[in-house]
Amino acid sequence: DPEELISSEVATSMKKVADWQMANFTYNASGSHDYGIAAWTHSTLYIGLAEWAKIASNSADCYTWLYDKGTKGNWALNKNYTYHADELCVGQFHTAMYEKYKEDKMITAIKQRVDYILANPPSNQSMSHSNKQLWTWCDALFMAPPVYAQLTDLTGEGKYLQYMDEQYKKTYNYLYDKEEKLFFRDDSYFTQKEANGEKVFWGRGNGWTIAGTANILKTLPSDSPYRKYYEDIFREVALRLIELQNRDGAWHASLLDPDSYPAPETSATALITYALAYGLNNNLLTKEEAYVPMAKAWHKMGEAIHDNGKLGYVQPVGQDPKTVTKDMTATFGVGAFLLAGTEIYKYLNTPMVMDEI
């Protein structure tokens, strides 16, 4: 039954994919923006692995691997671009490890970077896509905002959350299409059209935004005055993405022109599935709304797993819809897959849900 999910099978798939990725991990020692040890690509993997490690049968191995990567990177951030949202993504990994190990060195660098940004606001306040000092592209909503929310959580200082809220709203107000209920990747796509005449809305870009919004909500206390704004956006985008899910269970590189990009795209599908599962676990989405889409998506992603555990159909680093093949993989796709699987596993092991299924 394509709508049935079994927690042991979900865990088996995650272990297979995680083990392959840990054994086949490489990074650019020069610290490049996209492929250095602290790059956003690998940071997304670490974030997913840190969640998986909480429930993995080989939990100690996962934590040892993660601790080693943090140590090799000196618990530091890339130094290429001070204000660039992508460079902050690794902070989500560092705070996750701090929660487990309580070693101050793990959060020193991220706090220093964010404190510097707050004390020295970006000189360029343009929302043009060419300005990477602000969050001018929708992926940024996954990369940076949760770090600010986590710092408020860790320090009790509201200034981080206040800054995050101001910057998130700038991005939302600029890039969100209220008619389509989707985010443009950046302003260079405002006037572009797909082959079928529809607007260009990138699958993974919208996956980043809803997964990032879930990560913000994970950090906000239930009584936070900030919650309703993010819950409302989360729910609106989630329901729209459910409408746009392909019949096969996947989301494609282009949300409004899937026929031009017929292959399923695993990273977009995983990020969206993670958000749906998070929504189910936190009463932001009902079982009637989201369970079947979540289950179909998980089954579809299972088809992208090679026999050896390599996860395929992941569009490489990019900013717009591109064709993908089963042989294409990337660490951020695996991280997103592990985030999705971990939330699904939690859902399936909720006593109330177990009674229903």
Side-chain angles (χ1 to χ4, degrees):
D1 182 349
E3 294 170 13
E4 185 182 10
L5 291 174
I6 299 166
S7 65
S8 61
E9 292 178 1
V10 172
T12 298
S13 294
M14 281 194 287
K15 183 177 187 305
K16 187 175 180 180
V17 169
D19 288 355
W20 181 89
Q21 186 61 78
M22 286 190 289
N24 291 274
F25 179 78
T26 59
Y27 64 92
N28 183 321
S30 70
S32 78
H33 174 72
D34 288 332
Y35 301 108
I37 198 163
W40 65 271
T41 48
H42 301 329
S43 300
T44 305
L45 169 65
Y46 308 149
I47 295 163
L49 267 173
E51 286 298 306
W52 162 237
K54 294 175 185 176
I55 58 171
S57 58
N58 60 335
S59 181
D61 294 341
C62 294
Y63 279 121
T64 300
W65 191 93
L66 287 166
Y67 195 96
D68 174 68
K69 299 307 168 286
T71 303
K72 282 194 169 111
N74 298 313
W75 303 100
L77 285 69
N78 274 353
K79 296 181 172 61
N80 302 317
Y81 310 102
T82 300
Y83 294 98
H84 201 304
D86 292 358
E87 309 289 44
L88 298 181
C89 186
V90 75
Q92 295 179 65
F93 163 54
H94 293 168
T95 57
M97 295 295 277
Y98 177 79
E99 284 173 10
K100 179 170 174 61
Y101 293 101
K102 295 290 186 273
E103 295 179 17
D104 288 344
K105 66 182 179 184
M106 294 173 169
I107 56 168
T108 300
I110 188 65
K111 191 170 182 305
Q112 286 175 345
R113 176 72 62 91
V114 171
D115 283 345
Y116 178 87
I117 292 170
L118 264 59
N120 303 274
S123 56
N124 187 345
Q125 288 290 312
S126 164
M127 285 301 291
S128 164
H129 67 278
S130 60
N131 177 27
K132 294 298 191 285
Q133 292 189 4
L134 298 184
W135 303 341
T136 59
W137 68 110
C138 71
D139 325 17
L141 297 182
F142 179 91
M143 306 298 164
V147 174
Y148 288 81
Q150 287 161 352
L151 283 175
T152 283
D153 201 33
L154 288 172
T155 66
E157 294 184 49
K159 63 182 180 181
Y160 301 115
L161 194 52
Q162 185 179 346
Y163 181 86
M164 179 214 83
D165 188 57
E166 289 167 2
Q167 300 305 314
Y168 184 108
K169 284 173 175 168
K170 275 187 198 172
T171 306
Y172 171 83
N173 291 335
Y174 192 60
L175 296 181
Y176 190 65
D177 184 317
K178 290 182 176 170
E179 289 178 7
E180 293 292 350
K181 298 175 183 170
L182 297 168
F183 285 84
F184 285 103
R185 198 274 175 175
D186 60 53
D187 65 3
S188 70
Y189 294 92
F190 284 174
T191 58
Q192 294 190 37
K193 294 286 189 281
E194 295 284 16
N196 65 356
E198 295 283 358
K199 297 174 186 175
V200 179
F201 291 109
W202 185 33
R204 185 161 75 226
N206 281 275
W208 286 127
T209 59
I210 196 165
T213 307
N215 285 353
I216 294 168
L217 287 167
K218 267 186 173 178
T219 306
L220 294 178
S222 59
D223 61 350
S224 169
Y226 292 97
R227 275 199 79 88
K228 186 175 187 313
Y229 175 81
Y230 294 98
E231 286 181 350
D232 288 351
I233 292 172
F234 177 91
R235 184 166 163 75
E236 181 169 280
V237 176
L239 293 175
R240 178 64 171 132
L241 289 168
I242 287 170
E243 285 177 6
L244 293 170
Q245 185 179 28
N246 198 271
R247 285 189 300 275
D248 65 7
W251 284 268
H252 291 223
S254 172
L255 291 174
L256 300 189
D257 187 13
D259 292 344
S260 290
Y261 306 90
E265 204 284 292
T266 303
S267 59
T269 301
L271 289 164
I272 295 166
T273 305
Y274 163 57
L276 298 187
Y278 174 81
L280 283 166
N281 281 331
N282 293 276
N283 300 314
L284 295 169
L285 297 168
T286 67
K287 184 179 179 185
E288 292 70 29
E289 288 166 337
Y291 178 78
V292 170
M294 176 186 78
K296 286 174 69 176
W298 182 259
H299 285 301
K300 186 63 182 173
M301 286 192 290
E303 296 175 14
I305 303 171
H306 293 239
D307 291 343
N308 64 2
K310 175 182 174 179
L311 184 68
Y313 288 115
V314 180
Q315 184 187 336
V317 173
Q319 60 188 31
D320 56 359
K322 291 279 197 304
T323 303
V324 289
T325 68
K326 187 169 181 178
D327 205 49
M328 291 179 176
T329 194
T331 50
F332 55 82
V334 173
F337 178 84
L338 295 173
L339 284 171
T342 305
E343 281 296 318
I344 291 171
Y345 186 86
K346 284 183 203 170
Y347 179 77
L348 295 174
N349 286 282
T350 303
M352 181 182 71
V353 174
M354 293 300 285
D355 291 342
E356 289 179 13
I357 293 173

